[in-house]
Structures are given as structure tokens and as C-alpha cells.
């Protein structure tokens, strides 16, 4: 399929506007698509929508034209899909000269938690070669249908919505990372308080915010000796512990465990009535020097990170979390398998990376 890791497909985007680059730049802040024709494997898709994506990956490359792209296939035609998928994310690897960190990270953690698929593609803009990109799956209905009983639940991104201050993905108000706003912190009973810090991506419910509020309240206010049995009705505890262990093990700084307030998603599953945190944006994993000093209990003493602070204070959950962390170290970092996978990926893309 689209995310077959053994295949490097070519994606051709053709813009009718001669000033398409200017339009993409002007539309960045508003997340507005511009139309293009896309060709993949000889099949032409009319009227796809294209925009620049990313936050630091867009801003920190400054004048470089190696931008990240989002491609929406249902921009002009609702039923358009590419091999079953209606959105593409092409990431520019702005901090990763290997082009492999996020790709390897996602491959390894999919053994344990819901995480996006990825493959490599070559991008052409108006027949000009633009380089190699990891194509990373969008966290939308297609994704949730693969991992859950349905995609009929509620999907939030922990991030301030456009127009609420702080800019898209920026620290916003409240003092930066870990400020106790969007880490499943209980802010009170008023749902309006949560709408400042979470972006509602999709839902089939009339009042989806009530589910988020009650989960946050149970997480923060239930006595520790009752937390495991009570919270199990509102949150998938095992997937949550795997989620935390994966982020810690791979030192993912675009994450819940580092930022607290953004760069993760939350999914409410209607069939079970439970929340699950979802990994998002692994482009900075295995990279920062300071992250090498993280312990298994990074931020566990910080009340602004309740998944760490509250769950790891319960002895049985703490032990289960440590067991998951040991499994990740023993399996995902086993040199015989991990290094072989990295070497195989490197051989596949090395000449393209050098050219890039």
C-alpha cells in the first residue's frame, strides 16, 4: 500500500499558478490550501489542496525552500483518496540529517501503541525535483479506523486553536511548556476553559467536551488508592503507560512528556467510553543532548503533568510502566534487530539524502 517501506514513490504536484510559491507562503498562517494536480504511479488526481505545514520545521529553515507539505486529496472532490488515504504529510527533517529518526521511531513504537505509518517519497513541483521526504500518515479518521473499533469517536489535538492566542503551536499564555493547561489537567467544570487549549478535530457527539472534562477531573481528583480502578473506566491505562514509556525511551521532545501542553492527540473511543493519548510529531526524537539525562521518571514529580505525576505514583501502575519500558529497551533497542533495520533504511535512501 501507500506506506510500503520498501517502495519509494514519486509524487508530482503541478500548479497552474505561476506564483504558487508566493501563495503557499502567504497562506501558511491561515492553513489555507491552494489547488494543484497530483500524479502518483501514473494516476492523475485533479484538484488536490496543498499547503505548507509545520511550526518550528517551517520557521527554523528560514529562507530554505525545503519546506514540509500537507496534501489534501478531498480538496475539490470529496471521494478522492490515494490508495485509501485522503491526506499526506511530507516532512522536511529539518533537524535530522539522517532523515531516519522519526521514520525509525514510528516503526518501532507501532509494536506497542497506535502510531502513524511512514514511507519515503520523492517530490516534484512543476516537474522540478524537490528532494526526498518521509511521508507520515495523518492522524484522522483513516488512522483511527485502523487502530480502534471504529473512527466514530472524538479526536482532539492538544494545541491552542487558531485565534485563541499564542499562534499555531506556540507556547501561548501561561508560561510555556508544562504550564498545566493541556496535559489533561483539570481546569474546572466549564468546558469553555478547555476550548482555549485543545483543538477539536472531529466528533460525532453533540457535547464531546464533557468527556474530556470528566476524564481530566477523575485523573486529577481521585485519591491515589482508588485511581487505577476508577480511571480504568475513563482511560485506556495500558496504552497510556506504553505511550509514556515510548516517549521517554526515545527521548521524544515534541511530546507529552516534555511539553505537556501540545504535540500529542487524545482520542475518545465511543465503544468503550475511554480516552487514549496518541503519539504525534516525532521529528525531534533521539536528538537533543539534554534529553539523554531523562530518567524513567522524568517529570513524574511535576503536578502539571498528571499522566506522569498521578499514574506513576500508583505502585501497580508504576511497576507496569517499568515493565513496558524494559520491553522497549530489550526489543526496540536490541542491536541485532534495530541496527539491521537502520542499516537497511540507510542503504535505501543514502544516495537520495546525499543529493538532497
Amino acid at each position: 500500500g501507500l506506506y510500503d517501506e520498501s517502495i519509494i514513490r514519486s509524487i508530482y504536484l503541478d500548479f497552474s499558478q505561476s506564483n504558487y510559491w508566493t501563495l503557499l507562503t502567504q497562506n501558511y498562517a491561515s492553513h489555507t490550501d491552494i489547488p494543484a494536480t497530483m500524479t502518483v504511479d501514473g494516476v492523475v488526481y485533479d484538484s488536490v489542496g496543498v499547503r505548507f505545514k509545520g511550526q518550528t520545521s517551517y520557521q527554523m529553515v528560514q529562507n530554505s525552500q525545503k519546506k514540509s507539505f500537507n496534501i489534501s486529496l478531498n480538496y475539490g472532490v470529496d471521494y478522492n483518496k490515494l490508495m485509501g488515504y485522503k491526506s499526506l504529510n511530507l516532512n522536511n527533517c529539518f533537524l535530522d540529517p539522517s532523515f531516519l529518526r522519526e521514520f525509525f521511531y514510528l516503526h518501532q513504537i507501532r509494536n506497542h501503541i497506535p502510531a502513524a505509518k511512514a514511507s519515503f517519497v520523492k517530490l516534484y513541483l512543476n516537474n522540478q525535483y524537490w528532494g526526498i521526504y518521509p511521508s507520515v500518515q495523518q492522524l484522522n479518521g483513516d488512522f483511527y479506523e485502523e487502530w480502534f473499533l471504529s473512527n466514530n469517536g472524538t479526536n482532539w489535538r492538544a494545541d491552542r486553536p487558531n485565534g485563541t492566542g499564542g499562534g499555531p503551536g506556540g507556547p501561548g499564555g501561561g508560561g510555556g511548556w508544562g504550564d498545566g493547561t493541556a496535559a489533561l489537567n483539570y481546569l474546572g467544570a466549564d468546558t469553555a476553559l478547555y476550548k482555549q487549549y485543545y483543538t477539536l478535530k472531529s466528533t460525532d457527539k453533540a457535547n464531546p467536551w464533557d468527556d474530556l472534562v470528566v476524564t481530566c477531573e477523575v485523573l486529577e481528583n481521585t485519591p491515589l488508592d482508588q485511581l487505577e480502578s476508577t480511571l480504568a473506566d475513563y482511560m485506556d491505562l495500558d496504552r497510556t503507560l506504553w505511550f509514556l514509556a515510548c516517549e521517554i525511551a526515545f527521548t521524544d521532545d515534541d511530546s507529552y512528556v516534555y511539553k505537556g501542553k501540545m504535540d500529542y492527540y487524545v482520542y475518545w473511543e465511543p465503544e468503550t467510553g475511554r480516552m487514549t493519548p496518541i503519539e504525534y510529531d516525532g521529528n525531534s526524537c533521539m536528538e537533543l543532548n539534554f534529553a539523554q539525562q531523562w530518567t524513567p521518571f522524568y517529570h513524574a514529580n511535576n503536578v502539571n503533568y498528571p499522566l506522569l505525576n498521578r499514574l506513576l505514583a500508583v505502585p501497580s501502575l508504576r511497576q507496569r510502566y517499568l515493565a513496558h519500558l524494559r520491553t522497549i529497551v530489550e526489543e526496540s533497542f536490541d542491536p541485532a534487530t534495530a541496527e539491521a533495520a537502520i542499516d537497511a533504511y540507510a542503504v535505501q535512501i543514502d544516495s537520495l539524502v546525499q543529493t538532497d
Side-chain angles (χ1 to χ4, degrees):
L2 181 62
Y3 295 104
D4 186 335
E5 294 180 356
S6 67
I7 298 173
I8 300 179
R9 288 186 167 84
S10 294
I11 295 177
Y12 296 85
L13 293 176
D14 292 297
F15 300 91
S16 60
Q17 310 95 320
S18 60
N19 64 336
Y20 73 89
W21 195 265
T22 300
L23 295 174
L24 288 169
T25 303
Q26 292 173 345
N27 290 354
Y28 166 72
S30 64
H31 293 188
T32 302
D33 291 340
I34 69 169
T37 298
M38 183 177 73
T39 304
V40 180
D41 293 346
V43 180
V44 178
Y45 300 83
D46 289 327
S47 297
V48 302
V50 182
R51 62 177 175 86
F52 291 143
K53 67 176 290 288
Q55 296 157 12
T56 52
S57 64
Y58 177 85
Q59 296 155 1
M60 291 182 65
V61 298
Q62 299 178 357
N63 293 327
S64 168
Q65 292 186 325
K66 183 72 173 186
K67 307 294 189 185
S68 298
F69 294 86
N70 175 269
I71 304 171
S72 175
L73 275 89
N74 59 2
Y75 173 79
V77 182
D78 287 342
Y79 53 83
N80 248 357
K81 285 194 174 186
L82 174 61
M83 301 181 190
Y85 296 92
K86 59 187 178 183
S87 297
L88 302 177
N89 291 303
L90 309 185
N91 294 346
N92 65 357
C93 297
F94 78 109
L95 283 177
D96 181 10
S98 75
F99 281 62
L100 281 178
R101 289 179 184 143
E102 182 176 25
F103 194 91
F104 177 72
Y105 174 46
L106 292 173
H107 180 274
Q108 298 298 84
I109 66 176
R110 282 197 303 272
N111 292 319
H112 310 296
I113 60 173
K117 293 182 286 193
S119 61
F120 290 107
V121 302
K122 294 186 287 186
L123 179 65
Y124 294 81
L125 303 182
N126 284 7
N127 287 321
Q128 184 176 358
Y129 179 56
W130 222 255
I132 184 173
Y133 283 84
S135 173
V136 179
Q137 183 181 9
Q138 182 93 350
L139 301 188
N140 57 15
D142 299 331
F143 171 84
Y144 289 106
E145 195 168 32
E146 293 173 357
W147 286 96
F148 292 85
L149 295 173
S150 73
N151 61 3
N152 299 324
T154 304
N155 184 24
W156 289 273
R157 178 176 174 179
D159 193 5
R160 296 176 73 95
N162 289 341
T164 61
W177 311 139
D179 62 0
T181 55
L184 297 180
N185 313 93
Y186 182 59
L187 308 177
D190 186 354
T191 58
L193 298 171
Y194 299 80
K195 295 176 182 180
Q196 303 175 60
Y197 302 109
Y198 299 85
T199 299
L200 180 63
K201 307 295 284 188
S202 63
T203 188
D204 286 343
K205 294 194 70 176
N207 300 300
W209 294 93
D210 294 338
D211 297 315
L212 181 63
V213 172
V214 71
T215 302
C216 294
E217 182 179 15
V218 171
L219 173 61
E220 289 225 27
N221 294 338
T222 303
L224 286 178
D225 61 352
Q226 303 170 30
L227 184 61
E228 182 176 6
S229 59
T230 303
L231 187 59
D233 290 332
Y234 299 90
M235 178 170 282
D236 187 328
L237 291 178
D238 199 56
R239 271 184 164 168
T240 299
L241 295 173
W242 277 113
F243 164 81
L244 298 172
C246 286
E247 290 196 340
I248 290 284
F250 285 87
T251 58
D252 180 3
D253 85 305
D254 269 342
S255 63
Y256 179 96
V257 300
Y258 175 62
K259 293 180 176 177
K261 66 184 294 176
M262 61 178 289
D263 280 335
Y264 76 100
Y265 278 60
V266 187
Y267 183 69
W268 180 83
E269 184 179 34
E271 292 83 3
T272 63
R274 298 189 303 182
M275 293 283 187
T276 301
I278 304 294
E279 171 57 39
Y280 171 73
D281 199 0
N283 66 323
S284 296
C285 68
M286 306 173 70
E287 187 267 328
L288 293 177
N289 290 330
F290 79 86
Q292 296 174 18
Q293 308 305 315
W294 292 3
T295 74
F297 305 108
Y298 182 61
H299 277 155
N301 294 324
N302 190 330
V303 296
N304 286 344
Y305 296 76
L307 290 182
L308 293 158
N309 177 255
R310 299 280 291 163
L311 298 188
L312 300 189
V314 177
S316 57
L317 296 180
R318 181 185 180 100
Q319 288 303 108
R320 197 193 316 182
Y321 161 78
L322 287 173
H324 293 343
L325 194 60
R326 283 194 297 270
T327 298
I328 294 168
V329 171
E330 292 170 358
E331 295 182 359
S332 293
F333 290 99
D334 173 55
T337 55
E339 293 179 11
I342 292 170
D343 289 345
Y345 294 144
V347 169
Q348 183 185 30
I349 68 171
D350 181 64
S351 62
L352 297 171
V353 171
Q354 300 306 320
T355 302
D356 199 279

